[in-house]
Amino acid sequence: MVGYAFMGAAHSQAWRTAPRFFDLPLAPRMRVLAGRDPGAVKAAAERLGWEQTVTGWPELLDRDDVDLVDICTPGHTHAEIAIAALDAGKHVLCEKPLANTLAEAEAMVAAAERAAARGVRSMVGFTYRRVPAVQLARQLVADGRLGEIRHVRVQYLQDWLVDPQAPLTWRLDKQLAGSGALGDIGSHAVDLAQFVTGQALTGVAAALETFVTERPYPAGGPTGGLVAAPGDTTGPVTVDDAAVFLARLSGGGLGVFEATRFATGRKNALRIEVSGSAGSLAFDFEDMNVLQFFDGQDDVQGFRRVLVTEPQHPYIAAWWPAGHGLGYEHAFTHQVVDLVGAIAAGTDPAPSFADGLAVQRVLDAVERSAADDSRWTAVG
Amino acid sequence: MVGYAFMGAAHSQAWRTAPRFFDLPLAPRMRVLAGRDPGAVKAAAERLGWEQTVTGWPELLDRDDVDLVDICTPGHTHAEIAIAALDAGKHVLCEKPLANTLAEAEAMVAAAERAAARGVRSMVGFTYRRVPAVQLARQLVADGRLGEIRHVRVQYLQDWLVDPQAPLTWRLDKQLAGSGALGDIGSHAVDLAQFVTGQALTGVAAALETFVTERPYPAGGPTGGLVAAPGDTTGPVTVDDAAVFLARLSGGGLGVFEATRFATGRKNALRIEVSGSAGSLAFDFEDMNVLQFFDGQDDVQGFRRVLVTEPQHPYIAAWWPAGHGLGYEHAFTHQVVDLVGAIAAGTDPAPSFADGLAVQRVLDAVERSAADDSRWTAVG
Amino acid sequence: MVGYAFMGAAHSQAWRTAPRFFDLPLAPRMRVLAGRDPGAVKAAAERLGWEQTVTGWPELLDRDDVDLVDICTPGHTHAEIAIAALDAGKHVLCEKPLANTLAEAEAMVAAAERAAARGVRSMVGFTYRRVPAVQLARQLVADGRLGEIRHVRVQYLQDWLVDPQAPLTWRLDKQLAGSGALGDIGSHAVDLAQFVTGQALTGVAAALETFVTERPYPAGGPTGGLVAAPGDTTGPVTVDDAAVFLARLSGGGLGVFEATRFATGRKNALRIEVSGSAGSLAFDFEDMNVLQFFDGQDDVQGFRRVLVTEPQHPYIAAWWPAGHGLGYEHAFTHQVVDLVGAIAAGTDPAPSFADGLAVQRVLDAVERSAADDSRWTAVG
Amino acid sequence: MVGYAFMGAAHSQAWRTAPRFFDLPLAPRMRVLAGRDPGAVKAAAERLGWEQTVTGWPELLDRDDVDLVDICTPGHTHAEIAIAALDAGKHVLCEKPLANTLAEAEAMVAAAERAAARGVRSMVGFTYRRVPAVQLARQLVADGRLGEIRHVRVQYLQDWLVDPQAPLTWRLDKQLAGSGALGDIGSHAVDLAQFVTGQALTGVAAALETFVTERPYPAGGPTGGLVAAPGDTTGPVTVDDAAVFLARLSGGGLGVFEATRFATGRKNALRIEVSGSAGSLAFDFEDMNVLQFFDGQDDVQGFRRVLVTEPQHPYIAAWWPAGHGLGYEHAFTHQVVDLVGAIAAGTDPAPSFADGLAVQRVLDAVERSAADDSRWTAVG
């Protein structure tokens, strides 16, 4: 595994937990953790449960005891690591966003295709797909229970930047982060919509906004690659605080999207509501074990609050009895389960790098539309 | 009163009920109902409780015993009646939308201004403003409890056109109805956003959609002004089924709007969520006695589910004890209370015709943007 | 009508409104209001819309233009008025509780039976039965959609006595009010359970509690029949603040009941949850337009949030389009509709005085059990 | 660890996970798993991650490399193992219920007290206390935010026995299980109420019910210690399906309790609602990351939906960012954290065996009351 921050912790817990609850066809071993700072990476390996450490990710590629590289670093490093790993014959799990630029993402997809031809697998980490309620949503759409999709309304609402004194970090710098709310959480919103509906977004009309354009550097000065001019205690925010856009689905439906870090009181509200000709559904990650489902066939109609914790629901049989909810990191465990299953079965796991690229193309169209007076902009 | 369909029933109930629960400074009498068909208008008057009937609205203007004209007819008739009534010195309550065209709406505002100079009052019927929870929302924003407004997300979701066999009525004809979901329910969404935030929408980027472009005429043939070509059993839908748009508030916040008649399972879900720098709120008319309020000052934070039924809440003291909810038509009673109060006090009631025009200007910008590739379009 | 306080206002609004929305087979006229104080009753009649007034209810019985007597006075007066009215051949609508004592209630039932034999009808005002969601609940149970009833859990939660400085009124005096939360709101809870399940409560084990035993008289001194010893500024609370009891249904199910005026934050939360062998339902009057329904037959299971506002739902077709909710007083209008319908049809309306007596018998068993160490006590 | 079924899996995951997210003062090692069947225990150890196995729990007590015994076996075995382990100087974590009889529980408390005097710690597994929302509830009560507690209403609702063909297992046999819903889930309800309020239940009035008295043995015949008469395909249910009781709190408040396996549609609804003189709160485990809190001090009042996922909330800082919910097994991890912390600090962890005994005493009083015509029965 490369990287050991927030995502590294989630991935480690998943690798450790998956074989304890699921019958995996292969037994994963948490072999080597890679990071630049020798002391820090050793400490992280001990805490997160990795056997060994290296201080450069390229070392992983030469080792025979490494079959898979799990990339948990910031987005601008993904392309280089993933392409090298795939070309070295290592399976790759890469955190989202696939890359910070379209060109990088395209190169990664090309590498993934080359690798797949040799039986080497790749996957991008849109974990929200693997929340059981989201899987059930997808199944209901795929089974035709919603009929033709007329509308999706998707929001990813957080509030951690509401305070104008919240410090300037690398996530607010365009060079380092690529974009702001759009790439960080808007990418999840787009993938979720495309996954649940089984359709692509074909065009968008968008607006981006930065509400607070100048923020203080953290006490102690800039970190994580940020550089301040001498004497500066504040610096510019160069990414979007919020992104809103209209979209069209390939099946003709209309989409409305919003991603923001300024929705006071909403902590991690990734929400989707889908209106179809035969039924509807709604999901909010802040209530992640629940799917709302409206079936137009019912004689007594109402949105059903489905507590997605029953053995017949996706992934649940491996866990607890009905009514014993799952949490955030369980989706990462499911990701491991599906990835390991695909590797063993010799099939390509989803979401693929191509799926990741599809999301990037939407984000790119959003940025182009926003820069062009919100004019309707085709994706891709 | 002119007109006696759905809105006529709601207005009649309001005129009858207001003096029973509120101390009105003037005693309204339900004097004359106007309608074209003598038999139908007589029957309606009896059912709705009007003393007399006339078969032409102009007759109302000559009568000394008519002080106020309440216009409940379709939108394309509003301008003529309202202007004539105001010029005749009658106070006017006009249902929304103010008019079907900007030009008509502007003429109505001019008439209202002329009238106001002579102490004659006018008001447009955006009744959702008078739901107690909405009034409370406005108060909280006005009191600064939300801080700077960063986002509004507004939806008006209905589902009565989901069935492609739902019949073609005048509401689906552009000549008669002006527009579809946009004007009928999108207008409420816009007024609600402008009222609650106290800000104007200054620009939009929009898309309109008609999902079902051909529908059967009703059994028995076209009604309400529709004309079918000989032998035709179906006809074209010439208005939008759904409207979506991005918007900018005068204070710099971002808005996302959706109005649709294709949201399966949502019956009358007029929803608004406002995110401010200091707090947030959310409202859904399907749960009309409740306002969700998040106060960033709380030590233990969470959206409060405020049951807006307590004596200190707007309008409630006149009704029932705490916890005894109100229904849809109560807002019409509040409208009468406020209108009669303003007339007696010699002040101009709100929402004014100018407020109605402001909404029309937004709808017009939406239509222009949608026709121009969703390009950002200034309002007004 | 006799009495013109809170209930008088609700009944008046119902008599006035019913013929405007429903096709009644008879046309009610709001003829005479009876009350003791000539000035007060005149003012009330004007405000509530009654044509004439009298200062003694017996006068109503001699009038040929009075066909029905609507009793909205406190409970200890019900028996005398209702029996006299029925014996005089007047139909009677009597507010709940039917009476303050079992003996009175039994005499009223006897009078009602005598009257019914002569075609004179009687009804007791358990209006919560006529909330559309409650009617739908009853239909689902009657249709077997819940199977065998295993559990009912019923709560009626209010909080208006939480403040120990809330003044001592007649409602807190045993002589005048009969009991406290038990009779006032517990009676609704019992009737609701019996109505929805279609079963009787056959036995109870109960406890009563008075949390605040001494309260200040209102500023200005005791009112409404209360008498204070000279110089006393506070007086004793002689009724229960809260009542809790276990119960058995005639079909074998278990019930758990709670009625309290000390549930901080709950304003008028009359809640019922019914668990059956085939399905379940839940209702809370604080969300009165909604019925939660769980159908064990569903392939994708979850409680449906049924917005009971559609034309096919009970009473709704007479009102507004789907999604336009009703309020508290609509149930009173439905009561008038059903009562007038029964009178015209020559049938006995429900809930009958016998239904009211059945509730009284449960309350009596509760009081006996509470006084006997909570021992299980048969009803009746 | 002794036992490796449902609870064994939850405990193993907790031991494995705690040191990865929390800074523990001691490093737990998952040394030995004990079970009777050599093959089964070996397989379980491998799946659950234990280093070694033994086939008799007494072997654990002789080992120097075992400092703590974690008891996950059925209730009737708890006393023997726990007392022996404590007397052998091993710390003990014992699953609930503490024991199947009062006498056993009392002996366990005595052993715990002896052990504590020697610095040996013991704890009983009421894990629901360690859900962050429940901890926050306790804090709010302890901080006086609710004032005097007037009411608790507590329910533990499941539905896995609704089907009369659900098979007869050891859990439905009084000899093996002690009691039914009462001991299995009612014990959680009682502990939760006592923990959150900080008060003891002092008396109860109760009823027990078995709705389905005869059930089929599992295909393949009785298991888990059950014995069938020759040729019998069905056997008797000898425990309660449901338990309901009234209770009194030591502070004078009233409690209403219900535990059932027949609440169709409720999967694991452990709910508590507390009404105090200054505020109220509500919790439902089916929405386990949320606490409803009503603060009577608010100027705009309503139950706050507190999403208990923020760094300042109990236990959360060790996990994920705000809005990323936890699941069922996280409470077991918190249990390990608190237990290890107490051992290292040399303090007695809670809930103690005495707390477990306090719950048993309440259950005992419930059974005595139910057997005595629901008569009020003092606890202890």
Side-chain angles (χ1 to χ4, degrees), chain A residues 75-102:
Chain A
H76 68 282
T77 66
H78 288 180
E80 186 184 8
I81 306 174
I83 292 169
L86 287 168
D87 286 346
K90 310 299 188 193
H91 308 296
V92 170
L93 171 59
C94 180
E95 254 310 310
K96 52 64 50 180
L98 192 60
N100 275 9
T101 71
L102 261 190

Side-chain angles (χ1 to χ4, degrees), chain D residues 115-290:
Chain D
R118 292 179 295 143
V120 177
R121 310 295 166 189
S122 53
M123 189 174 177
V124 63
F126 287 113
T127 45
Y128 289 113
R129 289 187 176 204
R130 289 186 164 82
V131 172
V134 172
Q135 286 281 324
L136 179 58
R138 171 65 197 134
Q139 287 180 8
L140 291 169
V141 173
D143 291 349
R145 299 288 287 268
L146 270 71
E148 289 180 62
I149 305 303
R150 301 303 195 188
H151 293 282
V152 291
R153 45 199 79 89
V154 192
Q155 297 152 7
Y156 201 145
L157 309 180
Q158 298 184 336
D159 71 356
W160 54 280
L161 285 183
V162 164
D163 181 356
Q165 297 305 309
L168 190 65
T169 69
W170 71 269
R171 284 185 177 275
L172 306 183
D173 183 272
K174 189 164 184 60
Q175 294 308 316
L176 299 168
S179 70
L182 178 64
D184 182 25
I185 54 178
S187 58
H188 278 300
V190 170
D191 184 69
L192 185 66
Q194 297 193 141
F195 173 64
V196 170
T197 62
Q199 298 184 24
L201 300 192
T202 58
V204 297
L208 301 175
E209 176 64 44
T210 306
F211 293 114
V212 175
T213 55
E214 188 89 11
R215 288 183 178 273
Y217 289 110
T223 58
L226 276 181
V227 181
D232 279 5
T233 56
T234 65
V237 175
T238 51
V239 299
D240 57 286
D241 286 334
V244 293
F245 54 100
L246 313 177
R248 181 74 64 173
L249 292 166
S250 47
L254 282 176
V256 179
F257 288 76
E258 178 174 358
T260 179
R261 295 156 166 175
F262 274 73
T264 301
R266 304 301 182 190
K267 302 306 171 184
N268 201 44
L270 174 56
R271 302 169 179 172
I272 185 168
E273 189 170 344
V274 184
S275 303
S277 58
S280 293
L281 54 82
F283 170 78
D284 183 342
F285 187 76
E286 289 191 353
D287 196 10
M288 68 172 277
N289 291 296
V290 168

Side-chain angles (χ1 to χ4, degrees), chain A residues 151 209 248 260 264 276 280 373, chain B residues 151 209 248 260 264 276 280 376:
Chain A
H151 294 282
E209 176 64 42
R248 180 75 64 174
T260 180
T264 301
S280 293
D373 231 9
Chain B
H151 294 283
E209 177 63 44
R248 181 74 64 172
T260 179
T264 301
S280 293
W376 198 267

Side-chain angles (χ1 to χ4, degrees), chain B residues 20-35:
Chain B
R20 301 300 175 192
F21 289 84
F22 292 81
D23 288 323
L24 298 188
L26 298 169
R29 284 191 61 178
M30 297 170 68
R31 194 74 78 168
V32 196
L33 183 66

Side-chain angles (χ1 to χ4, degrees), chain A residues 343-361:
Chain A
I343 288 170
T347 57
D348 281 317
S352 66
F353 278 18
D355 292 323
L357 174 59
V359 172
Q360 298 297 106
R361 288 199 200 284

Side-chain angles (χ1 to χ4, degrees), chain C residues 73-110:
Chain C
T73 52
H76 67 282
T77 66
H78 288 179
E80 185 185 7
I81 305 175
I83 293 169
L86 288 168
D87 286 347
K90 310 299 187 193
H91 308 297
V92 168
L93 171 59
C94 181
E95 254 309 310
K96 52 63 53 180
L98 191 61
N100 275 8
T101 71
L102 263 190
E104 287 173 342
E106 285 162 354
M108 291 171 79
V109 170

Side-chain angles (χ1 to χ4, degrees), chain C residues 71-203:
Chain C
I71 306 174
C72 293
T73 52
H76 67 282
T77 66
H78 288 179
E80 185 185 7
I81 305 175
I83 293 169
L86 288 168
D87 286 347
K90 310 299 187 193
H91 308 297
V92 168
L93 171 59
C94 181
E95 254 309 310
K96 52 63 53 180
L98 191 61
N100 275 8
T101 71
L102 263 190
E104 287 173 342
E106 285 162 354
M108 291 171 79
V109 170
E113 286 170 0
R114 285 195 304 272
R118 293 180 293 144
V120 176
R121 310 297 165 187
S122 53
M123 190 174 179
V124 62
F126 286 114
T127 45
Y128 289 113
R129 290 186 175 206
R130 290 187 162 84
V131 172
V134 172
Q135 286 282 322
L136 179 58
R138 172 65 197 134
Q139 287 180 9
L140 290 169
V141 172
D143 290 350
R145 298 289 287 269
L146 268 71
E148 290 180 61
I149 304 303
R150 301 304 194 186
H151 293 283
V152 291
R153 46 200 78 89
V154 192
Q155 295 151 8
Y156 201 145
L157 309 180
Q158 298 183 335
D159 71 356
W160 55 279
L161 285 183
V162 164
D163 181 357
Q165 297 306 309
L168 190 66
T169 69
W170 70 268
R171 285 185 177 276
L172 304 183
D173 182 272
K174 192 166 182 57
Q175 294 308 318
L176 298 169
S179 71
L182 179 63
D184 181 25
I185 57 179
S187 58
H188 279 300
V190 170
D191 184 69
L192 185 66
Q194 297 194 139
F195 173 66
V196 169
T197 62
Q199 298 183 25
L201 301 192
T202 59

